[in-house]
Amino acid sequence: MSSIELTPSQKKILRALTNLHSDSEDAIKGEDIAEQVDRNPGTIRNQMQSLKALQLVEGVPGPKGGYKPTAAAYEALEIQQMDDPAAVPLEHEGESVEGVIVEEIDLSSVHHPELCRAEVHIQGPTNDIHEGDSVTVGPTPLSKLVIEGTLDGKDDTNNILILRIDAMIAPAEEPEH
């Protein structure tokens, strides 16, 4: 997958969008994003055009309309940061799993909330993790994304855990003053 280079401003807006969206699940209004990143709504609308072109954001028309992050948005925020994979913790049934390294988190089908899956590529033993177990991955180094899910399946050959995502949490960045 080609990595998308985002400007700091785009990253900030995208992160604000993913944070607001994880709180409400509804489409997020440009004004709300503007408020969070301390820019005017016009600037946000312009940036959203470019983010839509990159397929990181979808526009939702109508009175309840606004913007929603796509699966690629979460990946774009994360992919640039996975330089130190050892820094991503993995928890199984609430206990930290030692001796495994999270190499990559692949978010597929975020467009279908009921089919929302994360493929977690791992180095290390995963024998004790079974279908139906709860697994938490993260926080990731930069966007501090935490994915909570239920193990839906395993690909032992490639060391991939397939999680049904129950929650994705990306905490808000501290505002820079």
Side-chain angles (χ1 to χ4, degrees):
M1 154 143 185
S2 62
S3 77
I4 297 170
E5 284 301 310
L6 296 174
T7 65
S9 168
Q10 285 174 320
K11 272 188 204 161
K12 202 170 196 175
I13 288 169
L14 208 51
R15 186 157 301 118
L17 174 62
T18 53
N19 296 337
L20 289 164
H21 186 253
S22 67
D23 292 342
S24 84
E25 294 303 309
D26 293 328
I28 305 304
K29 300 207 172 309
E31 291 77 39
D32 296 341
I33 299 166
E35 200 170 300
Q36 189 148 2
V37 296
D38 210 16
R39 300 271 163 78
N40 72 51
T43 308
I44 303 299
R45 275 194 293 278
N46 294 339
Q47 291 280 11
M48 284 303 177
Q49 294 309 320
S50 61
L51 290 170
K52 273 198 256 193
L54 292 166
Q55 300 184 320
L56 299 177
V57 170
E58 31 185 341
V60 180
K64 282 218 179 305
Y67 304 100
K68 283 187 172 184
T70 65
Y74 290 95
E75 289 191 36
L77 286 175
E78 199 41 57
I79 276 171
Q80 298 156 357
Q81 317 331 131
M82 295 289 274
D83 299 333
D84 181 8
V88 180
L90 181 74
E91 281 187 8
H92 169 237
E93 294 289 331
E95 296 290 314
S96 182
V97 180
E98 299 302 320
V100 300
I101 292 177
V102 175
E103 286 189 317
E104 185 186 338
I105 301 168
D106 204 5
L107 299 167
S108 55
S109 62
V110 174
H111 290 294
H112 304 283
E114 62 282 358
L115 298 173
C116 211
R117 297 284 182 277
E119 291 180 5
V120 184
H121 300 243
I122 286 179
Q123 285 176 13
T126 58
N127 320 344
D128 301 339
I129 305 179
H130 305 289
E131 281 190 33
D133 290 359
S134 77
V135 175
T136 302
V137 186
T140 52
L142 185 97
S143 66
K144 305 282 182 262
L145 180 69
V146 176
I147 296 175
E148 296 172 4
T150 308
L151 190 66
D152 206 40
K154 279 203 306 196
D155 173 345
D156 286 326
T157 335
N158 299 310
N159 256 14
I160 297 175
L161 300 179
I162 300 161
L163 301 184
R164 199 167 56 241
I165 298 176
D166 301 318
M168 276 203 282
I169 306 139
E173 268 186 302
E174 295 301 305
E176 296 159 33
H177 287 298

